[in-house]
Amino acid sequence: GDSVTQTEGQVTVSESKSLIINCTYSATSIGYPNLFWYVRYPGEGLQLLLKVITAGQKGSSRGFEATYNKEATSFHLQKASVQESDSAVYYCALRGAMLSGSFNKLTFGAGTRLAVCP
Amino acid sequence: EAAVTQSPRSKVAVTGGKVTLSCHQTNNHDYMYWYRQDTGHGLRLIHYSYVADSTEKGDIPDGYKASRPSQENFSLILELASLSQTAVYFCASSPGTGMAETLYFGSGTRLTVL
């Protein structure tokens, strides 16, 4: 089946420094999956941060960016300058290509907890 | 204001007991989902529903039942709770399964089975 791997369980970054959270995926369905980043702030539910449905495209939101790299099967999340308010758990997710068996659900990574230090 | 509300926020249950987790959405969405998350693992789909009075099995349905009595409400039922079902449970809703549909999540229920 589909899978999403986030290698870092926790990342600590100083405020105003750059950030990269790694995400790689494996999709068994024919065609290209849709890719997502969700974020969970303390005490809240997951919410969509950004999404990219076309391979090679970049998504951006709130200063975060992620590029859909189909050759490397990666979708790393980056931000040039983090703020303390970015402290949260970030989840990479995949939805299988249309007409695939996994199109009607999301497959999530384990999440990466980001701590931004002042 | 929250569009997806879960109750309770946390619960302690005894092994072999019955547990019901509730979810209510005001998004007017057709699809609702139950996920569980274990420490160090991603969210895994338990059950989902795309219409009232009908539910579908997700990836890990064993030991769980689901009920969708109305478009707004979706419950997860553990008839005989076990230690292995200790986890955080998330409910979500979405308009449908169109390309890149966004899921809207509740804030989660932390279940501890002793």
Side-chain angles (χ1 to χ4, degrees):
Chain A
D2 299 338
S3 66
V4 176
T5 301
Q6 294 178 243
T7 52
E8 305 101 347
Q10 175 148 342
V11 173
T12 302
V13 181
S14 298
E15 201 166 23
S16 79
K17 298 299 184 183
S18 64
L19 167 73
I20 181 165
I21 297 178
N22 294 310
C23 172
T24 57
Y25 66 88
S26 173
T28 57
S29 57
I30 295 172
Y32 297 114
N34 307 148
L35 300 175
F36 305 78
W37 278 100
Y38 280 78
V39 57
R40 185 185 182 204
Y41 297 103
E44 300 181 12
L46 285 78
Q47 57 184 270
L48 180 68
L49 178 60
L50 58 86
K51 63 185 176 185
V52 179
I53 62 174
T54 303
Q57 298 295 310
K58 178 166 64 178
S60 60
S61 174
R62 308 180 211 175
F64 289 90
E65 295 182 338
T67 299
Y68 187 156
N69 186 329
K70 63 180 174 65
E71 288 81 17
T73 61
S74 67
F75 192 54
H76 304 321
L77 183 68
Q78 301 182 74
K79 189 172 187 182
S81 176
V82 297
Q83 304 170 339
E84 206 169 341
S85 59
D86 293 326
S87 296
V89 182
Y90 292 82
Y91 296 89
C92 186
L94 169 158
R95 182 193 296 276
M98 192 174 286
L99 301 180
S100 75
S102 59
F103 185 69
N104 63 347
K105 67 183 183 76
L106 289 181
T107 298
F108 286 86
T112 298
R113 182 176 299 277
L114 171 64
V116 179
C117 302
Chain B
E1 178 180 289
V4 179
T5 306
Q6 293 182 230
S7 61
R9 292 293 298 270
S10 67
K11 183 172 181 63
V12 178
V14 296
T15 304
K18 182 177 181 178
V19 177
T20 300
L21 307 183
S22 300
C23 180
H24 177 81
Q25 58 112 348
T26 58
N27 295 323
N28 198 33
H29 288 167
D30 287 331
Y31 280 74
M32 296 188 75
Y33 309 81
W34 277 107
Y35 284 88
R36 68 175 276 176
Q37 182 173 28
D38 300 278
T39 303
H41 295 274
L43 281 72
R44 292 180 290 170
L45 182 65
I46 307 170
H47 285 287
Y48 66 99
S49 168
Y50 54 84
V51 68
D53 294 323
S54 178
T55 64
E56 303 292 328
K57 294 180 179 179
D59 296 326
I60 54 164
D62 292 345
Y64 301 94
K65 292 172 60 177
S67 173
R68 182 94 180 269
S70 64
Q71 186 191 42
E72 298 80 17
N73 295 294
F74 191 38
S75 298
L76 185 69
I77 303 150
L78 291 66
E79 295 278 5
L80 295 170
S82 66
L83 295 174
S84 64
Q85 293 177 312
T86 292
V88 179
Y89 292 83
F90 292 99
C91 177
S93 72
S94 72
T97 57
M99 191 172 293
E101 288 284 10
T102 299
L103 267 64
Y104 297 84
F105 284 84
S107 56
T109 295
R110 182 174 298 276
L111 175 65
T112 303
V113 183
L114 302 176

